[in-house]
Amino acid sequence: MNQKKLLRVISMIMLLVLTTSLLLSCQSTPTTTGSTTGQTTTGATTTKGTTGATTTEKEVFSYPFDPPIKLTINRDNSPYDVSNIDPAFHDVFAWNVYKEKTGVELEVVGASSGAYEMSESFLLLLASGDYPDLMQANWIRFPGGPQAAMDDGYIIELTPYQEYFPALMQVYAEHPDWYQMVQTDDNKLYNFPYLRGDPDAHTETGMVIRQDWLDALNLEVPTTIDELTEVFRAFKNEYGLASAFTFEMRWLWLEWASAGLSSAYGYTYPFFVNDGEVKFGPLEPGFKAFMAQMASWYEEQLLDPDFPSINKATVQSKFASGEVGVAIQQLNNVIGCIEANAGTDYKVSGVPSFKNPATGDAMFSHYYQTYDGSFGVAISTKCDDIESAARFLDYLYTEEGQLFSTYGTEGVSYEMVNGEPTFTDYLWNNPTGATPGEVKGRVSMGANYAVIRWAFTGHMLDYAKVVHKEWVNENMANHVYPATTFTSIEAAIVSRNFTNIDTYCKESIAKFVTGQWNTTTDYDAFISQLESYGVQSVLDVYQAAYDRFAARSR
Amino acid sequence: MLNKRSKAEWFGDSINVMILGFLSLIMLYPMLYELFMSFSVASQVAKHRGVLLWPLGFTLTPYRLVFAEKTIISGYRNTFFVLSIGLVFNITFTSLGAYFLSRKNVMLFKPVMIMILITMYFSGGLVPTWLNVNNLGLYNTLWALIIPGAINTFNLILLRSYFLSIPDSLLESVFIDGGGHFTALFKVVIPVSLPAMMVMILYYGVGHWNSWFDALIYLRTRDLWPLQMVLRDILIQGTDLDIRGEELINYEQLQETTKAAIVIITTVPILMIYPFLQKYFIAGLMVGSLKG
Amino acid sequence: MAQHLSTGYLTRQGKLQRFKSRLVTDMKHNYTLYLLVLPVIAYYIVFRYFPIGGIQIAFKDYKPALGIFGSPWTIHYGFGHFIDFVTNPYFERLLRNTVLISFYSLLFGFPAPIVLAIMLSELRGRKYKKVVQTLTYFPHFISTVVVCGIITQFALSDGLFNQIGQLFGAQPVSFLQKPEYFRTIYVGSGIWQGVGWSSIIYLAAIASVNSEVYEAAALDGAGRMRRIIHVTLPHIEPTIVLMLIMSVGNIMNVGSEKVLLLYNPSIYETADVISTYVYRRGLLEFNFSFSTAVNLMNSVINFLMVLGANAISRKVSETSLF
């Protein structure tokens, strides 16, 4: 058993103890949870009365709501749709279980929003004034930040309603660093967050290489850029490839997905933090050298010429079929490649972050923050039963809810072994022949919702674990620019200047790499253009926001 | 002399025939390519280089994948709803307007005409139009694709030109028989304008069939999406298809053949009514020339 | 004459009175007609004039929660968004891209249907003519989404364009990734899709040329080219001028639809036009007022262009829209 796992077990146990003690301390009246009496007296209507009556004892709330209630949410498809799912899973399908356990049915109104950008249909939904009860979006990316979303009357501030989400507050109490992330600079809470609780979950993307090809050519997994170039050339020549390396271009600027590679130059896009100082990647010296290197790969056709336009499925297909020997991919897609080649000699290895020769260490890797705003659920101003909405969302942060959202149904997909939840054979060898990942996708809540995620599918499979562990880079946590929020003045500066800068940088990166621009001749013009777009003012804003973030209560 | 000239004419003619033949090929080939691609086997597509002249192997897998997409079915349903109900609105409103504008000796003719013509050059633009539709409660309903576009001013003017060409004597007879304007319009004007009506159906119909932007901004529920929105999602946005396992190796190619199948099945309805429509192009041509 | 004199003596009051009584008579006489047109007028007011009223948000900082009227006026006496756009570092590029795409569309796309119409009219075999017409009209009926989907496929580095190119020994290029190809793709596909359909109007005009005129020209010994230049073209000139004026009016109107379907950040340099930028800033950043302001500016420029083209054509060729 490794150290991390032990840590996780300990933290889970602590959580259990703390939650129960909290529950006990609240339980001034002896009510059995889930009993019929409890059910009839709780729920939306009754507890509303108690909020007014301050003198009477507080009713203890228990799930499920009785009678069941309905809440609306912006999602494209009904989560309860099982038409594409093997009937064998219908009874344990997570959303159905969730509906039963909470007594709340979600009705979808369309207009789902993106993980990092508010989708156009969602912004139009906001403009329409006709909001659902719950609004799932990345509220940090709302123009002007979550504060503006509250000020403009889209979502409500949650802080005054803390009593309705005790489990989440308990989680914050145990994780002050999380609490720091989920509030505004004025210490206001605004959504039910999606939290990546598992430390391993921070890194999900990285460079993979064909180990069987390396073995055949008597090569090692490259640790420097020069070695990497040699591997590219060897693959291209020995296997007659059109190009050796592919990935989606957007990963040059998204989620630090290519940071493991650019780590060799001490550069990543867009922002990172070094000893409390915020840096903008393209202004750092490593940017130029990295661009030059990419351009030379592109020119030599070691890098796939289609990389600007392909999507992740195409990358997966190219890497699975042996059209390329090296790719940057998400772990799930790597698993797909391995499974598609099951029974052959196909073997892959993860490539660790490259060390910067100048400093001798690797600063970056792909990194998902514990909280980055994605998939958070807020309560809209049009919700007329705030308490029920909050209690419903709180369920998945309770001890029971966390176990359910991660492991599924007890006695089916997991069992408690020595106090630790353990997946059963139902998952590992399902009678339907579904893969463990597929089974887990059916029985647990997965991502894209307001939950704390603990065990990740990708980390459960041995052949994925070996890839994943190479990608993890502890240094990255010290350099990540956190999910800060801006004041409305700052937001205006960022909207006006950074939109231009970001577009310009993305275009310029594409131009440098594809050889339309040359780093030796066009770099200075690039930098002075950035300055004319006000990059310094943006950097100042990011620094100020970071400083406020660092000063938030924990 | 005569002989010489006809030789030159003959030469010119054959050049003309050849160029137009080549042009027709360019017009046709992309669709043929999609047709061949949609029946091709993905693994063979992967190896193929060069121009496609026939399907590479034969498979129906792409079509199976297309019909497994529920949104395509609902897309067809929504498009047909918008098309049929939309046309009723289009034809009724446009005829009413065109009839009024084709009457003489009406005092308010000029103000109404000016009011209509102004909108050809000035519009509120994207955002005010959107807000207006939303305020009217049409957001996220299929009516948003039908009612705001009930009249296309250009078509209205075209139809008016056609109505103007109808001899007054035809209408006089209705009025003498005691009929009013309603009778005149529905019993005489519309029936004698059948070719023009077909042109209107053609213009509006093609508009409804091909439009997607209105759906993008007015519809948030996927169940309401018309076919073109679904297409955009799959063809342009590259929404992943449900492909896994061994098929993954040729995912890229399978995706390509599937996209081709989608192109084919969404173009087939037009192909089917195309010969029927074509004879009305001439009528459209007449309406068009009357305007000039 | 007598009537003219008598109206001259009428007082203003009397004029109004007469107008009123005439209107009442007209209303009585034509009331079913007015009843008939009422839905149409209502339609224009509700769906065309209400949005025009909404243009005021161009001068405001529109917040959905506050509504159109409740939103505050923006800085610089309401012209903040206009100034913001004009001083934007991308303004020049957006303007250049928009105008250039329009210009090339006009330069190549405008004569193409005329040439096609003349070529078709010169064809002798009626059946062949029918086939060519059928095939050239057809792309008009394929939706933009499908056309762009096909283009995206063909433009890949292993797509059809490159497969043809390789037959001639060209290096594979990912066409939609290179800014220098975007205008060609945009204009070329536009012509492909529209040339047949647009030729119909010219074919109609050519069809109305009296065949005797052709015969007379032939008797005079005029060759094919001379006949086209001296008989056909002058005859369809009014149609050409009208169509040209209408096209000029759209010079700032490179629609966002097709560009949105085709572009990506690596070709923004040539592909990003005013309407797409407005779409990104307006809808994706929630800046409705800004978007409306730019639209308004566009409409005004377009309208001025039409007026200009109209005035010029009235002087030069005595043909005009109004």
Side-chain angles (χ1 to χ4, degrees), chain C residues 197-218:
Chain C
W197 189 252
S198 315
S199 72
I200 294 182
I201 192 159
Y202 299 111
L203 270 176
I206 293 172
S208 68
V209 180
N210 198 327
S211 59
E212 282 167 23
V213 183
Y214 276 132
E215 278 158 24

Side-chain angles (χ1 to χ4, degrees), chain A residues 47-119:
Chain A
T47 12
K48 231 177 220 166
T50 58
T51 42
T54 40
T55 47
T56 56
E57 279 178 282
K58 255 193 193 145
E59 300 266 357
V60 171
F61 175 80
S62 72
Y63 298 99
F65 283 93
D66 189 31
I69 60 167
K70 287 185 174 181
L71 292 170
T72 50
I73 191 170
N74 62 312
R75 286 176 74 100
D76 282 339
N77 302 309
S78 166
Y80 312 114
D81 179 9
V82 289
S83 57
N84 282 335
I85 294 170
D86 191 321
F89 292 109
H90 286 187
D91 289 342
V92 288
F93 182 57
W95 283 95
N96 287 335
V97 177
Y98 180 42
K99 181 167 75 177
E100 275 169 39
K101 291 204 172 182
T102 55
V104 176
E105 183 175 350
L106 289 174
E107 279 180 62
V108 300
V109 300
S112 67
S113 190
Y116 299 103
E117 275 172 355
M118 294 206 159
S119 71

Side-chain angles (χ1 to χ4, degrees), chain B residues 3-275:
Chain B
N3 196 8
K4 202 177 172 187
R5 200 187 65 205
S6 65
K7 225 178 195 174
E9 288 269 302
W10 179 83
F11 184 68
D13 276 345
S14 18
I15 298 259
N16 195 13
V17 165
M18 279 195 289
I19 294 178
L20 286 174
F22 182 67
L23 197 71
S24 307
L25 199 69
I26 293 178
M27 294 292 165
L28 182 65
Y29 185 70
M31 282 330 274
L32 274 184
Y33 179 90
E34 298 292 327
L35 185 69
F36 297 153
M37 191 59 106
S38 69
F39 288 112
S40 295
V41 175
S43 59
Q44 295 192 36
V45 174
K47 293 180 200 112
H48 177 78
R49 288 287 172 271
V51 181
L52 205 61
L53 295 176
W54 47 79
L56 303 165
F58 181 83
T59 176
L60 290 175
T61 311
Y63 288 93
R64 184 176 54 75
L65 285 169
V66 172
F67 287 109
E69 287 286 322
K70 272 184 294 183
T71 44
I72 292 207
I73 311 295
S74 68
Y76 260 110
R77 195 187 59 225
N78 294 326
T79 294
F80 278 116
F81 177 81
V82 170
L83 192 67
S84 47
I85 306 293
L87 279 177
V88 171
F89 272 85
N90 294 142
I91 298 301
T92 315
F93 274 67
T94 311
S95 302
L96 289 178
Y99 180 76
F100 177 84
L101 295 179
S102 69
R103 292 302 92 210
K104 290 129 206 161
N105 306 323
V106 182
M107 264 187 83
L108 294 184
F109 165 77
K110 224 174 175 177
V112 173
M113 189 70 172
I114 289 172
M115 180 186 114
I116 288 173
L117 285 180
I118 284 176
T119 63
M120 280 182 97
Y121 296 96
F122 282 104
S123 70
L126 183 66
V127 174
T129 305
W130 189 90
L131 292 172
N132 185 43
V133 169
N134 181 46
N135 287 341
L136 294 167
L138 299 179
Y139 172 65
N140 206 34
T141 67
L142 284 176
W143 298 109
L145 312 189
I146 294 173
I147 300 174
I151 301 180
N152 174 315
T153 305
F154 189 76
N155 290 350
L156 175 64
I157 302 298
L158 275 189
L159 193 63
R160 176 199 172 232
S161 316
Y162 198 91
F163 284 180
L164 276 176
S165 72
I166 296 170
D168 282 342
S169 54
L170 270 179
L171 293 177
E172 292 304 327
S173 62
V174 175
F175 298 138
I176 287 166
D177 290 349
H181 287 293
F182 282 94
T183 328
L185 172 60
F186 290 103
K187 287 268 163 71
V188 178
V189 174
I190 290 181
V192 300
S193 312
L194 206 64
M197 286 297 158
M198 291 312 289
V199 174
M200 289 296 123
I201 290 177
L202 177 72
Y203 283 10
Y204 280 120
V206 169
H208 283 305
W209 179 264
N210 286 347
S211 82
W212 62 275
F213 192 75
D214 281 353
L216 174 75
I217 60 174
Y218 293 130
L219 300 180
R220 61 166 192 240
T221 313
R222 262 162 200 264
D223 295 345
L224 293 177
W225 277 5
L227 191 59
Q228 300 297 336
M229 253 316 264
V230 179
L231 285 187
R232 172 182 177 264
D233 210 40
I234 300 174
L235 292 182
I236 313 280
Q237 308 287 84
T239 300
D240 292 346
L241 299 159
D242 190 19
I243 301 172
R244 55 184 78 147
E246 278 170 42
E247 287 173 333
L248 195 67
I249 303 281
N250 291 308
Y251 182 90
E252 205 181 339
Q253 285 76 27
L254 192 58
Q255 204 177 28
E256 207 174 319
T257 57
T258 309
K259 282 180 176 180
I262 290 170
V263 167
I264 295 300
I265 66 149
T266 53
T267 317
V268 157
I270 285 193
L271 266 177
M272 289 197 308
I273 54 168
Y274 186 66

Side-chain angles (χ1 to χ4, degrees), chain A residues 193-214:
Chain A
Y194 171 64
L195 295 166
R196 294 180 180 86
D198 188 342
D200 277 354
H202 295 315
T203 305
E204 279 289 288
T205 304
M207 187 184 273
V208 275
I209 194 162
R210 284 288 293 270
Q211 184 63 44
D212 52 331
W213 289 5
L214 285 177

Side-chain angles (χ1 to χ4, degrees), chain C residues 3 10 26 32 36 47 70 92-93 113 126 131 179 202 226 237 247 273-274 291 299:
Chain C
Q3 202 186 3
L10 278 173
D26 181 65
T32 47
L36 221 111
F47 288 101
E92 208 179 313
R93 181 174 90 179
R126 291 194 60 181
V131 170
Y202 299 111
R226 284 189 58 189
E237 193 199 281
S247 315
V273 292
I274 293 174
S291 165
S299 308

